[in-house]
Amino acid sequence: MTFARQKPWTRLEPVVPKTSGKRLDDKGPERNSAWLVRIRNMPCLTCYSGRQTTPTRAHHPKGLFPRTMGKRISDLLCLPLCDEHHTDGPDALHRTGDELHWWRSHGVEPYGSILSCLAGCRDPDKDQAVAFVQMQWDRLDGTTVERT
């Protein structure tokens, strides 16, 4: 009985077969540029009325949704922030570690603000985004009250 040695240049079959198609959880939801334009046209949530001096940016609040860390979150969950409060100022959101605390220290309830922004949305994924925000908000508060 002879045993043939496997040649070192032969490709072995993978232990786990490769799947065809795109994984749904690789990068997160698709981008929605029209919604981002709408968010950028809103005033900053933390500036006092008429005091905003820098343009508004769309902030993706990853810190409010812990299961999305490291992944892209839906554009439908964005909040409007001016450059000063978003990235450039000394008290900018991206310079802090606790996003929820930052929002509340500025007098803004972020989950409620997201739901307010979504009120005028016509995107087919709106209902899913609203349910996701309400679930996170309820988990945080320990309640199951439906908010409008």
Side-chain angles (χ1 to χ4, degrees), residues 94-116:
H94 280 280
R95 295 176 188 257
T96 64
D98 185 2
E99 187 166 349
L100 183 61
H101 174 64
W102 186 91
W103 282 107
R104 291 189 172 164
S105 69
H106 285 79
V108 177
E109 178 53 60
Y111 297 107
S113 299
I114 293 170
L115 293 176
S116 296

Side-chain angles (χ1 to χ4, degrees), residues 31-131:
R31 288 291 178 219
N32 187 334
S33 57
W35 184 253
L36 291 177
V37 168
R38 181 175 175 173
I39 292 291
R40 289 181 191 121
N41 287 327
M42 293 179 178
C44 176
L45 289 174
T46 58
C47 285
Y48 295 106
S49 180
R51 305 229 176 182
Q52 183 174 340
T53 57
T54 57
T56 301
R57 303 289 179 219
H59 171 66
H60 290 80
K62 286 184 177 182
L64 298 178
F65 305 101
R67 292 184 181 207
T68 61
M69 294 302 279
K71 294 183 182 176
R72 184 167 72 187
I73 66 170
S74 172
D75 289 336
L76 297 177
L77 303 177
C78 284
L79 290 167
L81 279 178
C82 67
D83 282 341
E84 182 75 17
H85 288 113
H86 192 217
T87 54
D88 296 344
D91 186 35
L93 176 59
H94 280 280
R95 295 176 188 257
T96 64
D98 185 2
E99 187 166 349
L100 183 61
H101 174 64
W102 186 91
W103 282 107
R104 291 189 172 164
S105 69
H106 285 79
V108 177
E109 178 53 60
Y111 297 107
S113 299
I114 293 170
L115 293 176
S116 296
C117 290
L118 284 172
C121 180
R122 294 187 185 142
D123 193 281
D125 295 330
K126 172 192 171 185
D127 294 335
Q128 182 181 2
V130 167

Side-chain angles (χ1 to χ4, degrees), residues 129-148:
V130 167
F132 182 65
V133 172
Q134 286 179 337
M135 179 186 69
Q136 288 297 123
W137 198 2
D138 291 344
R139 183 177 300 158
L140 181 71
D141 290 344
T143 63
T144 55
V145 177
E146 187 170 323
R147 296 168 178 88
T148 55

